[in-house]
């Protein structure tokens, strides 16, 4: 056999080997490599995780981890691990899996109607990496509160209910600072000026809005209720808002899961800075997280002469308004008789 034939045979063998290796490589890279039944799912990689941590996290969802590792190494993933929230879809191959682990998918974080900072921290902590304790610590940081004019009682006003985008691995401080930016964006010059026209700062307007929010779920009625409370403030009359008494009762019992549908006379005399029957002016902080319609109602109130209102028995969810105590007593008796007939004890 001459040298040319030997070279030809060797070349054929090498080329054949390369083709077979290439086929195997392509198969390893581009064949399906997932083993979950859901159409899609998210995996969460904590901050400061390394490649070994990632393998442990994704192992339950990958059919062949060796195949994934081979591709990951070729794509330099072990040296470039990212923390965050990553979307995997059923049927992904190893190349697609590694590519997906490089694309941090934001969380659509939503919150509203939280009654306390603790509840709010728990709500947020269930949606991002930062836990409720670290969030609370960040919110209550004394330097942060002092620089921004907040106290522990009123710092909840900073959080404007809405839906926001955050990366899952957002830290507590970064979340807080982003919310502070959103607060400043909401309280622009126009809104601040409108609050000042009502004799309120943004913090005070939010505290009042929390009461308006709790008084009525009917958004079209909130400007009228806001007008009533502003009328009371202007004449130096106590706000006499039942929702503040309910908040005080829950705070005293340290139980915000209880449902209180009725306020009794004895409740109105309890000693609490949140009892607006015993104290003139606004409570020291919000009694809930008011939504934007309640905030807008306070800075754009209905101009009216009403001083009193109580729940309506003819239009459920709405209220009956009165300019005089005599008119109000008629409305109040009608409601009292109705609620007694329903057997509502608390």
């Amino acid at each position: 056999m001459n040298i040319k034939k030997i070279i030809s045979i060797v070349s054929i063998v090498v080329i054949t080997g390369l083709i077979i290796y290439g086929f195997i490589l392509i198969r390893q890279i581009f064949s399906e490599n997932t083993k979950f039944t859901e159409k899609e799912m998210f995996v969460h990689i904590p901050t400061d995780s390394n490649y070994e941590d990632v393998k442990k996290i994704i192992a339950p969802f990958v059919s062949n981890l060796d195949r994934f590792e081979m591709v990951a190494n070729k794509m330099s993933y072990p040296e470039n691990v990212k923390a965050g929230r990553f979307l995997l879809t059923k049927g992904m191959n190893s190349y697609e899996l590694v590519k997906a682990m490089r694309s941090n998918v934001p969380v659509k974080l939503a919150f509203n109607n939280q009654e306390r900072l603790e509840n709010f921290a728990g709500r947020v902590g269930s949606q991002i990496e930062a836990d409720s304790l670290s969030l609370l610590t960040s919110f209550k940081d004394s330097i942060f509160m002092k620089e921004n004019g907040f106290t522990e009682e009123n710092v909840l006003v900073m959080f404007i209910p809405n839906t926001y985008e955050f990366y899952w691995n957002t830290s507590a401080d970064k979340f807080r600072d982003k919310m502070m930016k959103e607060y400043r964006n909401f309280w622009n010059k126009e809104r601040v000026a409108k609050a000042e026209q009502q004799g309120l700062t943004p913090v005070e307007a939010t505290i009042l809005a929390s009461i308006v929010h709790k008084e009525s779920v009917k958004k079209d009625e909130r400007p009228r209720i806001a007008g009533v409370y502003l009328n009371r403030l202007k004449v130096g009359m106590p706000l006499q808002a039942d929702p503040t008494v309910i908040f005080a009762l829950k705070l005293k019992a340290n139980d915000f899961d209880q449902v209180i549908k009725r306020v009794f006379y004895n409740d109105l005399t309890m000693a609490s800075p949140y009892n607006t029957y015993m104290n003139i002016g606004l409570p020291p902080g919000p009694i809930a997280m008011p939504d934007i319609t309640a905030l807008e109602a306070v800075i754009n109130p209905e101009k009216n002469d009403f001083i009193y209102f109580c729940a309506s028995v003819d239009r459920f969810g709405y209220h009956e308004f009165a300019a005089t105590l005599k008119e109000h007593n008629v409305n109040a008796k009608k409601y009292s008789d109705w609620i007694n007939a329903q057997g509502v004890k608390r």
Side-chain angles (χ1 to χ4, degrees), residues 2 31 79 90 124 127 280 298 336:
N2 59 42
S31 61
E79 299 81 34
K90 184 179 179 181
V124 175
Q127 297 179 74
I280 295 176
V298 168
S336 178

Side-chain angles (χ1 to χ4, degrees), residues 192-229:
V192 169
K194 286 184 175 182
E196 288 176 348
Q197 289 174 9
Q198 309 307 323
L200 304 170
T201 65
V203 170
E204 291 169 337
T206 307
I207 292 172
L208 182 56
S210 73
I211 300 173
V212 172
H213 179 101
K214 280 294 189 179
E215 282 286 12
S216 181
V217 297
K218 303 297 184 181
K219 296 177 181 179
D220 59 328
E221 189 184 56
R222 286 175 174 174
R224 175 167 291 189
I225 291 175
V228 173
Y229 281 133

Side-chain angles (χ1 to χ4, degrees), residues 213-268:
H213 179 101
K214 280 294 189 179
E215 282 286 12
S216 181
V217 297
K218 303 297 184 181
K219 296 177 181 179
D220 59 328
E221 189 184 56
R222 286 175 174 174
R224 175 167 291 189
I225 291 175
V228 173
Y229 281 133
L230 287 166
N231 289 342
R232 292 179 183 178
L233 287 173
K234 287 172 185 175
V235 299
M237 174 182 172
L239 289 180
Q240 298 182 345
D242 287 0
T244 66
V245 178
I246 291 172
F247 182 89
L249 290 168
K250 290 181 176 182
L251 187 63
K252 183 178 180 180
N254 194 27
D255 180 7
F256 279 80
D257 293 324
Q258 63 179 307
V259 177
I260 300 176
K261 295 182 178 180
R262 192 171 185 179
V263 173
F264 294 102
Y265 179 78
N266 287 342
D267 299 329
L268 306 184

